[in-house]
Amino acid sequence: MIGPVSILSIQSSVAYGYVGNSAAVFPVQRLGVEVWPVPTVVFSNHAGYDAWRGPLLPAEDVRAVIRGVEERGVLPEVDVVLSGYQGGEDIGAVVLEAVAAVKAANPEAVYACDPVMGNAESGPYVRPAIPALMREQMVPAADLVTPNQFELGMLTGSDPRTLRETLAAVDAVRAAGPATVLVTSVLRPDAPAGTLEMLAVHRDEAWLVRTPRLPEKSHGSGDVTAALFTTHLTRSSGDVRDALERTASSVFDLLRLTHESGRWELQLVAAQEYFASPAMQFRAERVA
């Protein structure tokens, strides 16, 4: 797809810090893309802190916001529906309704599902019903899914560690429906020490990109990664290698600046030029 892109992004929102839509919207806007954010929760800060305040939004409230957007007559302009952290398990039905409405208005639109459920350090951090919802309803409806390696295991009932195991788990996810899978963080025992990888599989291509691994885990980095990759892949009409290299370059510089700042929260504003103009310092290798 060449030209303008518009994204309907249904994710969490925080007042302080950067996760969910609060992490995803600005980097994508710096690429010149319209983003229409719909919150699923409105928290003071992300749940990695010892306390937070604010509501999980009822499904009817989320539905009402999307209905109001639909009433503006603009769903034919939506190229991507992007979903992330859902909060309550009843939000899934609202997301799928939105996907159906958008695809009815624009059959070329895609659904990108970031199946936010947990990570290797923290384990699962969603309600118990969410993993089954992701496996049985959200992922089969998606065109693109962006799990981390831990979430990939949750989706497939496996524990992928080697590249071969990770590729096999990706194939299992793709067999459920999505044409494209981005594994946003791959840690494997046979990779060079001090590195982190991302793996993108699209159609008959699988590409791996490797970056230095920084010491801190930054909340929201997966949300930024999913949003950037989705945008780059959409704008490039499926050039998965280019989308992966651009995403890896931008996200690494974001994490590097965050590490150098000594702050816990992503330095999203300071890194904005790296979103608009990725340094392209990492090259992907075809692995299948």
Side-chain angles (χ1 to χ4, degrees):
M1 176 179 297
I2 305 299
V5 175
S6 296
I7 297 176
L8 180 68
S9 183
I10 309 170
Q11 303 193 54
S12 59
S13 177
V14 295
Y16 175 76
Y18 300 104
V19 298
N21 269 334
S22 301
V25 171
F26 177 65
V28 172
Q29 288 174 330
R30 286 294 283 120
L31 288 169
V33 169
E34 290 284 349
V35 188
W36 306 339
V38 177
T40 56
V41 309
V42 181
F43 287 166
S44 55
N45 49 271
H46 65 67
Y49 289 93
D50 58 0
W52 65 93
R53 296 182 183 274
L56 292 169
L57 295 186
E60 277 306 311
D61 288 350
V62 180
R63 183 177 282 114
V65 172
I66 296 170
R67 185 179 302 121
V69 173
E70 183 176 9
E71 289 169 352
R72 305 285 68 77
V74 294
L75 291 193
E77 300 175 24
V78 177
D79 302 296
V80 178
V81 178
L82 172 64
S83 70
Y85 181 77
Q86 298 189 17
E89 54 267 31
D90 53 353
I91 300 297
V94 179
V95 173
L96 293 177
E97 290 168 12
V99 170
V102 167
K103 289 195 170 192
N106 176 11
E108 300 300 315
V110 301
Y111 170 36
C113 174
D114 185 6
V116 179
M117 294 182 287
N119 57 59
E121 292 80 12
S122 306
Y125 50 63
V126 293
R127 293 186 174 190
I130 294 292
L133 172 70
M134 289 293 177
R135 285 192 301 270
E136 298 167 11
Q137 298 184 48
M138 312 306 290
V139 167
D143 303 290
L144 162 64
V145 294
T146 58
N148 59 39
Q149 193 172 22
F150 177 81
E151 291 161 341
L152 179 66
M154 293 183 73
L155 291 174
T156 57
S158 64
D159 183 21
R161 295 181 182 270
T162 66
L163 180 58
R164 177 177 294 181
E165 291 168 347
T166 303
L167 285 166
V170 167
D171 285 343
V173 169
R174 295 178 75 219
T180 309
V181 176
L182 171 70
V183 187
T184 60
S185 58
V186 176
L187 287 169
R188 55 191 178 97
D190 51 338
T195 64
L196 181 68
E197 296 168 324
M198 282 196 282
L199 171 70
V201 182
H202 180 65
R203 299 182 183 139
D204 60 347
E205 302 176 34
W207 294 88
L208 190 73
V209 67
R210 180 179 301 135
T211 71
R213 186 183 183 189
L214 296 167
E216 293 89 5
K217 163 67 179 173
S218 297
H219 290 269
S221 58
D223 303 320
V224 175
T225 301
L228 288 175
F229 181 80
T230 298
T231 302
H232 287 308
L233 189 67
T234 303
R235 294 177 79 181
S236 67
S237 299
D239 188 338
V240 66
R241 179 181 185 177
D242 181 73
L244 182 62
E245 291 175 346
R246 289 180 182 277
T247 301
S249 296
S250 295
V251 172
F252 176 78
D253 277 326
L254 167 64
L255 296 177
R256 176 183 57 79
L257 285 180
T258 300
H259 171 65
E260 291 170 355
S261 75
R263 305 290 297 274
W264 198 26
E265 295 289 351
L266 290 173
Q267 297 301 291
L268 214 66
V269 175
Q272 61 180 290
E273 292 305 322
Y274 294 112
F275 307 138
S277 302
M280 303 301 289
Q281 69 270 49
F282 304 111
R283 296 299 176 186
E285 169 192 4
R286 188 163 183 174
V287 293

